[in-house]
């Protein structure tokens, strides 16, 4: 994956979206729109009904940042929205 994607902001109590930098633009992804998050090597794929975003981070880092939300880890490579 060659896209310039950075995770700019993640979850804290009361926040309902994540903000990412995708191709030089900031994008807000509503947590309710996220279907699942998949680990792909050294990247995380955030899958929504409309688009897939790839971020260079680990599953563990995402899992920790999503603590306290409706997301659960169901496999070493997958986090899903309840």
């Amino acid at each position: 994956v060659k896209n310039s994607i950075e995770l700019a902001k993640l979850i804290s109590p009361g926040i309902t979206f994540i903000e990412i930098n995708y191709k030089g633009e900031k994008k807000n992804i509503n947590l309710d729109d996220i279907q699942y998050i998949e680990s792909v090597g050294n990247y995380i794929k955030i899958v929504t009904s409309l688009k897939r975003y790839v971020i260079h981070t680990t599953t563990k880092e995402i899992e920790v940042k999503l603590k306290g939300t409706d997301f659960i880890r169901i496999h070493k490579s997958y986090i899903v929205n309840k």
Side-chain angles (χ1 to χ4, degrees), residues 14-73:
I15 301 297
T16 59
F17 64 91
I18 58 174
E19 182 180 279
I20 62 170
N21 184 1
Y22 183 72
K23 295 186 179 181
E25 294 182 21
K26 289 186 179 181
K27 300 282 184 185
N28 292 332
I29 304 173
N30 188 322
L31 293 181
D32 290 336
D33 294 339
I34 298 173
Q35 295 175 339
Y36 65 91
I37 299 169
E38 178 183 2
S39 174
V40 182
N42 293 327
Y43 295 88
I44 295 297
K45 184 185 337 177
I46 300 173
V47 178
T48 71
S49 57
L50 300 176
K51 194 159 185 160
R52 293 179 180 163
Y53 302 91
V54 180
I55 298 168
H56 187 147
T57 190
T58 67
T59 305
K60 184 65 177 174
E61 289 172 2
I62 290 293
E63 184 180 32
V64 168
K65 292 176 181 178
L66 290 172
K67 187 175 181 177
T69 67
D70 286 337
F71 286 84
I72 57 171
R73 189 170 185 171

